[in-house]
Short mmCIF file of all heavy atoms in Angstrom, two decimals:
data_model
loop_
_atom_site.label_atom_id
_atom_site.label_comp_id
_atom_site.label_asym_id
_atom_site.label_seq_id
_atom_site.Cartn_x
_atom_site.Cartn_y
_atom_site.Cartn_z
N THR A 951 199.25 59.26 73.99
CA THR A 951 199.06 58.79 75.34
C THR A 951 198.28 59.81 76.19
O THR A 951 197.92 59.49 77.33
CB THR A 951 200.36 58.51 76.01
OG1 THR A 951 201.17 59.72 76.10
CG2 THR A 951 201.08 57.40 75.28
N SER A 952 198.12 61.00 75.77
CA SER A 952 197.46 62.11 76.56
C SER A 952 198.46 62.84 77.45
O SER A 952 198.03 63.47 78.42
CB SER A 952 196.33 61.53 77.35
OG SER A 952 195.52 62.62 77.96
N THR A 953 199.72 62.81 77.09
CA THR A 953 200.72 63.62 77.87
C THR A 953 200.76 65.05 77.14
O THR A 953 200.62 65.08 75.93
CB THR A 953 202.10 63.00 77.89
OG1 THR A 953 202.57 62.81 76.56
CG2 THR A 953 202.05 61.66 78.61
N PRO A 954 201.08 66.04 77.88
CA PRO A 954 201.11 67.41 77.33
C PRO A 954 202.09 67.56 76.19
O PRO A 954 201.84 68.15 75.20
CB PRO A 954 201.51 68.26 78.51
CG PRO A 954 200.96 67.53 79.70
CD PRO A 954 201.17 66.08 79.45
N SER A 955 203.29 66.95 76.27
CA SER A 955 204.29 67.14 75.28
C SER A 955 204.22 66.03 74.20
O SER A 955 204.41 66.35 72.99
CB SER A 955 205.72 67.17 75.86
OG SER A 955 205.97 65.94 76.50
N GLY A 956 203.97 64.84 74.59
CA GLY A 956 203.98 63.72 73.62
C GLY A 956 203.02 63.79 72.50
O GLY A 956 203.32 63.52 71.36
N ASP A 957 201.80 64.25 72.84
CA ASP A 957 200.76 64.32 71.75
C ASP A 957 201.12 65.34 70.71
O ASP A 957 200.86 65.12 69.53
CB ASP A 957 199.41 64.67 72.40
CG ASP A 957 198.84 63.53 73.16
OD1 ASP A 957 199.51 62.45 73.37
OD2 ASP A 957 197.67 63.61 73.67
N VAL A 958 201.68 66.48 71.11
CA VAL A 958 202.02 67.51 70.15
C VAL A 958 203.21 67.06 69.28
O VAL A 958 203.20 67.29 68.07
CB VAL A 958 202.41 68.83 70.88
CG1 VAL A 958 202.94 69.84 69.91
CG2 VAL A 958 201.16 69.39 71.60
N VAL A 959 204.15 66.35 69.86
CA VAL A 959 205.30 65.85 69.08
C VAL A 959 204.75 64.86 68.03
O VAL A 959 205.19 64.94 66.87
CB VAL A 959 206.32 65.18 70.00
CG1 VAL A 959 207.40 64.49 69.17
CG2 VAL A 959 207.00 66.26 70.88
N GLU A 960 203.91 63.93 68.44
CA GLU A 960 203.38 62.97 67.49
C GLU A 960 202.58 63.63 66.39
O GLU A 960 202.70 63.26 65.21
CB GLU A 960 202.56 61.89 68.12
CG GLU A 960 202.10 60.83 67.16
CD GLU A 960 201.23 59.75 67.79
OE1 GLU A 960 200.87 59.86 69.00
OE2 GLU A 960 200.93 58.74 67.08
N ALA A 961 201.80 64.63 66.73
CA ALA A 961 200.98 65.36 65.76
C ALA A 961 201.86 66.01 64.73
O ALA A 961 201.58 66.00 63.52
CB ALA A 961 200.11 66.38 66.48
N GLU A 962 203.01 66.53 65.20
CA GLU A 962 203.97 67.17 64.25
C GLU A 962 204.50 66.10 63.32
O GLU A 962 204.61 66.31 62.10
CB GLU A 962 205.05 67.83 65.02
CG GLU A 962 206.20 68.41 64.16
CD GLU A 962 207.37 68.86 64.97
OE1 GLU A 962 207.25 69.04 66.21
OE2 GLU A 962 208.51 68.99 64.37
#
Side-chain angles (χ1 to χ4, degrees):
T951 62
S952 189
T953 59
S955 61
D957 287 8
V958 173
V959 171
E960 182 179 10
E962 176 189 342

